[in-house]
Amino acid sequence: MKLCFNQATTLNNSNLVKDLEYCEKHGYDYIEIRTMDKLPEYLEDHSIDDLAQYFQSNHIKPLAFNALVFFNNRDEAEYQKLLDEYRQMLDTGSRLGVEYIVAVPLVTEKKFTHADIKASSVKVLRELSDLAKPYGIKIAVEFVGHPQCTVNTFGQAYDIVEEVARDNVGLVLDCFHFHAMGSKREDLLRSDVSKIFIVHIDDTEDFPIGFLTDEDRVWPGLGAIDLDFIFATLKEKGYDHVVSVELFRPEYYELDAEEAIRTAKETTLQVVSRHYNF
């Protein structure tokens, strides 16, 4: 198993330069780069060539761009804007050696039927798949465990990816999102783990289903999620790619960035090493 760092974990107390420095120092294999804020901030006084050179010269590598947000059930103008953003991500990602673009479903108070959500998601993901093929980049769909997300359980997301039926379209399994809307264990047990591209590790305070928010996340092993079930299942089914630690805890943003990155690794290894070697 390889170890990855998601920049959300130091969202308010670091930047891409520091995250790369500390992740390299503490032995991470990969980083998920936030394209909505951390990459633009970096490019204010660096270039993509600078970043590519860093990855060529160091152990850590770019796992994913996070994220292409709200890809489904958009009107035509919004969708064309999303495609423009996506094409730029593909071009930049190919220059850096990014493996995945994380795609996040629409979060909205507007009501859509399950059929409409599935139809839109499948149509869009097939188009994104076609556009990504020449670049060798894959799309990792991340369901969000919140009542207002159009795709908010593992089973719903897995059903969409199965319908898309493309080798370069799979899932992000985020432990928080799996727990937060009560995704079914049997859906994970029946899954083909070749469809799971990235696993996000985190934990959470013990609030009821439907009330959890990202700010409730805590270090792995310190909360209410049955992480041992998730990782034992993944191990038994043959998943052995990457685990990426992702938290949005306000208290953790008060820490020194290096302390947060070190603690993220230590707590992740304490949990995942019960099932995997690193």
Side-chain angles (χ1 to χ4, degrees):
M1 180 75 83
K2 300 293 186 181
L3 181 64
C4 180
F5 182 78
N6 184 297
Q7 286 195 281
T9 308
T10 51
L11 181 61
N12 293 339
N13 57 341
S14 191
N15 56 46
L16 183 53
V17 172
K18 289 181 180 179
D19 285 346
L20 287 170
E21 175 188 349
Y22 297 142
C23 286
E24 179 73 13
K25 177 179 177 180
H26 290 282
Y28 284 80
D29 302 295
Y30 291 106
I31 189 168
E32 288 188 75
I33 299 172
R34 284 179 59 92
T35 51
M36 63 283 287
D37 40 44
K38 296 303 182 183
L39 183 58
E41 178 187 60
Y42 174 88
L43 292 175
E44 290 175 4
D45 47 19
H46 298 81
S47 69
I48 292 297
D49 288 340
D50 292 333
L51 190 53
Q53 181 59 48
Y54 183 90
F55 288 127
Q56 291 169 11
S57 303
N58 291 277
H59 171 78
I60 194 167
K61 297 296 182 282
L63 180 72
F65 276 163
N66 197 321
L68 184 72
V69 295
F70 304 165
F71 66 85
N72 57 303
N73 297 95
R74 310 303 297 272
D75 66 33
E76 186 61 27
E78 292 170 337
Y79 183 56
Q80 290 305 316
K81 184 177 180 180
L82 179 119
L83 287 179
D84 290 342
E85 178 186 356
Y86 179 65
R87 291 187 179 97
Q88 181 61 51
M89 292 171 78
L90 288 171
D91 180 68
T92 304
S94 67
R95 293 170 63 185
L96 295 177
V98 167
E99 295 184 40
Y100 304 103
I101 291 174
V102 175
V104 176
L106 179 65
V107 178
T108 179
E109 294 185 359
K110 184 177 179 180
K111 292 183 178 180
F112 294 95
T113 67
H114 278 103
D116 285 342
I117 293 166
K118 183 175 181 179
S120 174
S121 297
V122 170
K123 179 178 183 294
V124 171
L125 288 169
R126 285 178 175 165
E127 182 167 3
L128 298 183
S129 168
D130 290 339
L131 292 170
K133 283 180 181 177
Y135 296 91
I137 294 176
K138 298 181 180 182
I139 301 102
V141 181
E142 182 171 12
F143 66 96
V144 176
H146 190 280
Q148 292 176 334
C149 185
T150 51
V151 183
N152 59 23
T153 66
F154 177 85
Q156 183 190 10
Y158 188 86
D159 182 54
I160 288 168
V161 166
E162 275 197 314
E163 184 72 20
V164 172
R166 300 287 177 84
D167 289 342
N168 64 345
V169 178
L171 293 175
V172 177
L173 170 54
D174 184 298
C175 297
F176 172 84
H177 293 316
F178 188 91
H179 174 87
M181 281 298 292
S183 288
K184 297 177 181 178
R185 291 186 173 208
E186 53 264 37
D187 288 335
L188 181 58
L189 289 167
R190 74 173 178 86
S191 68
D192 176 356
V193 293
S194 69
K195 298 292 187 183
I196 298 175
F197 290 167
I198 302 171
V199 175
H200 283 170
I201 190 170
D202 32 46
D203 215 327
T204 183
E205 295 185 78
D206 193 16
F207 295 123
I209 289 172
F211 286 88
L212 289 158
T213 65
D214 280 331
E215 293 184 350
D216 299 321
R217 299 186 190 208
V218 296
W219 300 121
L222 302 186
I225 301 176
D226 190 350
L227 295 174
D228 284 316
F229 164 76
I230 293 173
F231 284 96
T233 301
L234 291 171
K235 175 68 172 180
E236 182 178 353
K237 296 175 74 65
Y239 179 86
D240 193 24
H241 181 31
V242 61
V243 59
S244 182
V245 58
E246 182 190 42
L247 292 92
F248 294 84
R249 184 80 175 179
E251 292 94 320
Y252 298 167
Y253 294 149
E254 301 299 319
L255 301 173
D256 175 77
E258 184 174 8
E259 180 183 354
I261 287 169
R262 181 177 62 249
T263 304
K265 177 181 179 179
E266 291 172 351
T267 55
T268 295
L269 293 185
Q270 285 172 6
V271 172
V272 183
S273 292
R274 295 198 286 265
H275 308 280
Y276 287 93
N277 294 320
F278 283 83

